[in-house]
Amino acid sequence: MMDELYRDYILEHYKEPHHFGELENPDMQAHDVNPLCGDELGVHLKVDESGTITDLAFHGKGCAISQASASIASEELIGMKVDDVAKLDADWLIDLLGIEISPTRRKCALLNLKVMRGAVTGDASWPE
Amino acid sequence: MTEQAVHAPASLAQRVRGDFPILAQEQDGKRLVYLDSAATGQKPSSVIDAIDSFYRNSNAPIHRSTYALAESSTQLFEGARERIAAFMGATTETTIFTRNATEAINLVAHAWGRDPRTGNIGEGDVVLVTEMEHHSNIVPWQMLCRDTGATLDYVKITDDGLLDADDLAAKLAGGNVKLFAVAHISNVLGTVNDVKALVAQARAAGATVLIDGSQAVPQMPVNVAEIDADFYVWTGHKAYGPTGIGVLHGRRELLATMRPWLGGGDMIKVVNWNDSSYNDLPWKFEAGTSAVAEAVGLGAAIDFIAELGSENIRAHEHALVENALPRLAEIPGLTVVGPGAEARGGVISFTLDGMHPHDVGELLGRENVCVRTGHHCAQPLMRRLGIPATARASFACFNDTDDVDALIEALHKARKVFGL
């Protein structure tokens, strides 16, 4: 049974999310909630001297879209420079997910990027 | 007897379904299965027509102008108040229109709680609420306590979703509870609290009592004189009425001595340069232009409920809950929160293993089955239950067992999408 939103890879990332958990002594971290649903997401980062993210772990509770989005994004974020992460916009993440996101679920998908922004810039604004 | 119980719900729903125009719509050939009446109720034609007719035929400023049209609008507005007051077992003096239940609670928090003359709430006092309250019956008290140095405390709930009677007794025995604020029916757990007994118990301990009846008025008989709370608040839009209108019923002696909260037109008798004298009840608490059409619409909504009979609505929704609970329990991984059918109103919140409530809501929505998902404006309760969110199905007079069938079927389908 193929679903246009809950595609197999989305559900696989939801059920077994990559880079999920906590890191000891993170160099950067942030935590945020989606006030609409109460879902929570936090991130721990390890960053080397050149400003490159060497490791990352998300943690929290959320729906399939928010969890899968964090899992899929984590694969791309490791190895990126924090300065470049700060410039990522909503389209980057939506394109990466490869699914149509309805307006009501947009915040679910974007929560991880909001938290990442909070970690690398201190300003956890919603990505546009 | 049993046969009657099985057939009773069908007959009520069949009788009223045609009264709700919105139920006629379809989405991809699927009929609307509206199971979100605890969030907002659908409106019968009589309510929609009353508002439409008011604007077409009777709109004019109320209370002041002397021409015939203004007489008519004033009569419609005050007539609605009279019928609402009579239905609720209150008087017109003690039936105050507000914007919603939230505003009614804030009115009490300000006009009763913050009055520096009486010191109703001050340092060392306790404002007692419960773990099952909606944010609207928590946050105004947090703000009041922050400003006055009082303490906010919560009556615990049991694992069955009932108020913990021992904890309530212990907290009241402390002797410093000045206000006890509690929901008549929990919007998440569905628990029906015995508010008459709670009022007597809290009053005996010296507390003033506020009841949040937002969930109760649409689904069960409520008589504020019998319940005898100091304040009873409810909202129109959950009771088949329009948004933007709510009601505060208060004990007359309290309302008479309380100072107004909002100042402005309509709430005054004489305005001088430096001070004013205030209008009589109930208008003392209705500053500014009232939501006239909304009040007229709410009057029609109460007529609708009165015609069906609150006890019939209660019996009908109770039968639906009894039908739904065991069927939901058969779905693998589904857990219902809250008490058994005997202590429950027309509200069923649940979680489903392996699926977040938002995903449940999304997939049910594709079947045109409308349920609420999230924290239901009750984040402290969610933390108490140890869950981030639930999905919630809630019933109204127009729901029938075929709506329960649609819910169950959509849940099975949703699980399949998730490979469960």
Side-chain angles (χ1 to χ4, degrees), chain B residues 10-31:
Chain B
S11 63
L12 184 70
Q14 278 161 14
R15 192 145 57 86
V16 301
R17 223 170 240 191
D19 292 339
F20 291 83
I22 207 165
L23 298 178
Q25 66 180 261
E26 291 188 345
Q27 174 190 292
D28 304 329
K30 290 166 183 148
R31 72 182 181 87

Side-chain angles (χ1 to χ4, degrees), chain B residues 360-396:
Chain B
V360 175
E362 166 113 23
L363 290 168
L364 262 50
R366 291 193 202 162
E367 304 302 312
N368 216 6
V369 174
C370 309
V371 299
R372 177 73 180 266
T373 59
H375 53 61
H376 315 291
C377 297
Q379 289 178 10
L381 175 59
M382 291 294 133
R383 276 192 287 278
R384 162 64 180 87
L385 297 170
I387 49 180
T390 74
R392 178 187 69 190
S394 52
F395 299 121

Side-chain angles (χ1 to χ4, degrees), chain B residues 27 63 81 103 105 123 151 172 181 213 228 251 280 341 373:
Chain B
Q27 174 190 292
H63 291 158
R81 190 198 309 274
E103 188 179 83
I105 294 171
E123 211 159 332
T151 305
L172 287 175
D228 199 27
R251 182 183 295 285
D280 298 325
T373 59

Side-chain angles (χ1 to χ4, degrees), chain B residues 316-364:
Chain B
H316 171 73
E317 294 181 16
H318 184 70
L320 288 176
V321 167
E322 283 196 314
N323 176 285
L325 281 179
R327 297 173 69 192
L328 285 167
E330 280 172 15
I331 295 174
L334 190 145
T335 306
V336 171
V337 300
E342 69 290 344
R344 184 189 284 268
V347 174
I348 303 176
S349 291
F350 58 90
T351 59
L352 200 50
D353 288 348
M355 284 186 80
H356 189 278
H358 272 202
D359 298 315
V360 175
E362 166 113 23
L363 290 168
L364 262 50

Side-chain angles (χ1 to χ4, degrees), chain B residues 33-38 369-372 392-396 398-400 403-404 406-407:
Chain B
V33 177
Y34 190 76
L35 296 173
D36 203 13
S37 293
V369 174
C370 309
V371 299
R372 177 73 180 266
R392 178 187 69 190
S394 52
F395 299 121
F398 52 74
N399 291 119
D400 208 343
D403 294 325
V404 181
L407 171 66

Side-chain angles (χ1 to χ4, degrees), chain B residues 14 35 53 88 102 144 177 226 271 293 308 329 359 386 408:
Chain B
Q14 278 161 14
L35 296 173
S53 171
M88 294 294 295
T102 297
L144 175 64
V177 175
E226 273 177 30
V271 177
L308 295 188
D359 298 315
I408 303 282

Side-chain angles (χ1 to χ4, degrees), chain A residues 1 3-6 11 14-15 34-40 61-65 102 104-105 108, chain B residues 354-356 358-360 362-363 366 373-375 379 383 386-389 413 416-420:
Chain A
M1 190 161 167
D3 189 278
E4 77 263 17
L5 179 64
Y6 298 108
L11 291 174
Y14 170 55
K15 288 172 181 172
N34 181 348
L36 296 176
C37 57
D39 286 354
E40 295 183 36
K61 294 172 188 161
C63 64
I65 303 304
S102 68
T104 53
R105 301 304 294 276
C108 308
Chain B
M355 284 186 80
H356 189 278
H358 272 202
D359 298 315
V360 175
E362 166 113 23
L363 290 168
R366 291 193 202 162
T373 59
H375 53 61
Q379 289 178 10
R383 276 192 287 278
I387 49 180
K413 214 166 163 182
K416 241 178 235 166
V417 171
F418 267 59
L420 297 169

Side-chain angles (χ1 to χ4, degrees), chain B residues 63-64 262-269 271 279 283-290:
Chain B
H63 291 158
R64 252 172 304 284
L262 298 174
D266 224 23
M267 52 74 75
I268 43 79
K269 267 187 184 155
V271 177
N279 205 338
W283 307 288
K284 181 170 90 172
F285 293 105
E286 294 180 355
T289 301
S290 294

